[in-house]
């Protein structure tokens, strides 16, 4: 598997900071400390050797003792400022304070005392250093939910264990679900648990404010996360800053999952067993895919031009299939 660029960046910065405090270190020891192979460490040193401050002339670059490296010893001779303590400007510090205050209210932090203590400590130090500018901030996030449910779900996520949920869906039907938890996601004013539902035999998204109770089970996860865990939310909200289009879909009861997994503004149950959802759409292609995928269960779509566009796309696809 290819290494993520951000993972390597963190390791590169860590190598410089570690060598500045530890002095010369053997390649094998450095590899063991950072959990990579000796060959990867040598590649990292080669990358650092051509990195530095703007100008990028020889005197601007991070430097190592080449003779020591030939003998298997990594010795930093010039860190080019990466070993100096970070100094933040007022705007940078205020942005970090705002982010930490927002983080401190998220379910994953509220339900975990250890995480909460780390965030609180960092926030206290930054707030004191920032002074009066931080006092003007008032940042709050998070939706409603039972703290005990949040705590149980967070424990299950941290331990990699299955969780049993007593859940009320949008149709006011209560069920018990055994779920392999993958990730907590905050979207608008609600928090969701994304995971594999063993009852549905598939990926599902559960609103935590609809979970009546949660129990951490002894079983581990039998289904690992598949692809981008939060892609449903990203498709709908990635362009939230733009003016979204409002659509109303009337769907048969077999498509109830749409009300559960897609962030909708409202759900209305109808006497014949169908239901209507109202949602804001910033990506028309996403809505077209949703309607085409669930075509047998689509009863009505408003505005009408959306239905016409989807019907035209479906006709074109059928025509192309017939030609082949």
């Amino acid at each position: 598997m290819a290494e993520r660029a951000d993972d390597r960046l963190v390791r590169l910065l860590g190598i410089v900071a570690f060598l500045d405090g530890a002095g010369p270190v053997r390649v094998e020891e450095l590899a063991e400390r950072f959990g990579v192979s000796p060959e990867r460490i040598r590649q990292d040193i080669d990358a650092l050797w051509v990195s530095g401050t703007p100008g990028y002339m020889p005197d601007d670059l991070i430097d190592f003792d080449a003779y020591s490296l030939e003998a298997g010893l990594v010795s930093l001779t010039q860190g080019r400022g990466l070993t100096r303590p970070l100094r933040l400007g007022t705007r940078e510090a205020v942005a970090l304070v705002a982010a930490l205050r927002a983080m401190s209210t998220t379910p994953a932090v509220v339900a975990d005392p250890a995480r909460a203590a780390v965030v609180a400590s960092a926030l206290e130090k930054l707030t004191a250093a920032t002074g009066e500018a931080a006092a003007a901030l008032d940042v709050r996030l998070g939706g409603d939910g039972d703290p005990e449910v949040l705590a149980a779900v967070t424990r299950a996520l941290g331990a990699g264990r299955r969780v049993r949920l007593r859940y009320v869906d949008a149709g006011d039907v209560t069920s018990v679900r055994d779920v392999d938890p993958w990730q907590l996601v905050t979207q608008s004013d609600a928090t969701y648990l994304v995971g594999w539902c063993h009852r549905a035999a598939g990926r599902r998204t559960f609103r935590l404010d609809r979970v009546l109770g949660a129990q951490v089970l002894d079983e581990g996860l039998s289904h690992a996360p598949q692809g981008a865990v939060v892609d449903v939310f990203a498709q709908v909200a990635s362009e939230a800053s733009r003016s979204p289009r409002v659509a109303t879909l009337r769907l048969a009861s077999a498509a109830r999952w749409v009300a559960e997994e897609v962030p909708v503004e409202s759900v209305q149950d109808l006497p014949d067993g169908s239901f209507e959802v109202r949602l804001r759409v910033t990506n028309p292609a996403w809505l077209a895919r949703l309607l085409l995928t669930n075509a047998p269960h689509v009863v009505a779509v408003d505005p009408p031009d959306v239905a016409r566009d989807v019907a035209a796309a479906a006709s074109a696809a059928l025509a192309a299939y017939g030609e082949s």
Side-chain angles (χ1 to χ4, degrees):
M1 181 184 296
E3 183 178 32
R4 289 167 53 98
D6 52 354
D7 290 338
R8 190 183 188 194
L9 175 61
V10 170
R11 187 174 67 251
L12 290 172
L13 296 174
I15 287 173
V16 176
F18 176 72
L19 290 174
D20 180 62
V25 177
R26 295 201 61 79
V27 170
E28 291 76 14
E29 180 184 340
L30 208 56
E32 182 178 357
R33 174 169 289 275
F34 287 92
V36 295
S37 67
E39 178 58 30
R40 172 63 73 178
I41 289 294
R42 292 183 180 275
Q43 293 172 2
D44 289 343
I45 299 303
D46 288 341
L48 287 168
W49 231 323
V50 293
S51 304
T53 52
Y56 305 105
M57 299 299 288
D59 289 341
D60 300 317
L61 302 178
I62 295 171
D63 202 6
F64 298 88
D65 186 330
Y67 295 105
S68 296
L69 188 60
E70 290 179 359
L73 198 63
V74 184
S75 177
L76 178 71
T77 59
Q78 181 52 259
R80 295 301 170 202
L82 288 184
T83 58
R84 293 198 301 265
L86 177 64
R87 294 186 180 278
L88 300 175
T90 301
R91 294 179 63 181
E92 295 168 324
V94 167
L96 282 176
V97 168
L100 285 168
R101 287 188 182 174
M103 185 185 298
S104 68
T105 64
T106 58
V109 174
V110 171
D112 188 332
R115 290 181 181 176
V118 171
V119 172
S121 176
L123 182 56
E124 180 182 0
K125 291 180 174 63
L126 263 177
T127 301
T130 307
E132 294 182 359
L137 289 174
D138 184 12
V139 182
R140 300 176 186 179
L141 284 182
D144 296 332
D146 185 339
E148 293 185 1
V149 168
L150 295 177
V153 170
T154 302
R155 287 199 308 273
L157 280 166
R161 290 163 60 185
R162 192 173 301 173
V163 63
R164 179 165 295 163
L165 307 179
R166 193 158 62 91
Y167 187 71
V168 178
D169 64 20
D172 203 27
V173 176
T174 303
S175 60
V176 176
R177 312 288 189 101
D178 284 1
V179 178
D180 287 354
W182 292 347
Q183 188 172 356
L184 281 174
V185 180
T186 298
Q187 173 70 23
S188 299
D189 294 328
T191 300
Y192 300 82
L193 172 66
V194 184
W196 178 274
C197 176
H198 288 266
R199 172 175 169 170
R203 163 185 158 157
R204 290 295 183 270
T205 304
F206 302 93
R207 281 184 58 139
L208 284 194
D209 57 2
R210 293 180 182 165
V211 178
L212 303 179
Q215 175 188 358
V216 182
L217 304 179
D218 293 333
E219 293 92 335
L221 307 187
S222 59
H223 293 80
Q226 302 170 347
V229 173
V230 296
D231 59 353
V232 169
F233 301 104
Q235 288 171 331
V236 178
S238 62
E239 301 181 12
S241 59
R242 302 180 183 178
S243 298
R245 188 176 194 182
V246 177
T248 301
L249 314 181
R250 182 178 175 186
L251 305 169
S253 59
R256 171 63 65 174
W257 71 270
V258 174
E260 294 294 321
E261 294 202 16
V262 176
V264 298
E265 291 193 342
S266 63
V267 181
Q268 180 182 359
D269 292 316
L270 302 176
D272 63 355
S274 63
F275 65 98
E276 283 187 353
V277 294
R278 184 174 184 271
L279 67 163
R280 294 184 179 273
V281 181
T282 58
N283 187 341
W286 172 85
L287 179 59
R289 287 197 300 272
L290 176 69
L291 293 173
L292 287 171
T293 303
N294 296 275
H297 309 306
V298 177
V299 179
V301 180
D302 186 60
D305 62 306
V306 173
R308 288 196 298 269
D309 291 345
V310 173
S315 297
L318 289 173
Y321 180 79
E323 292 173 359
S324 63

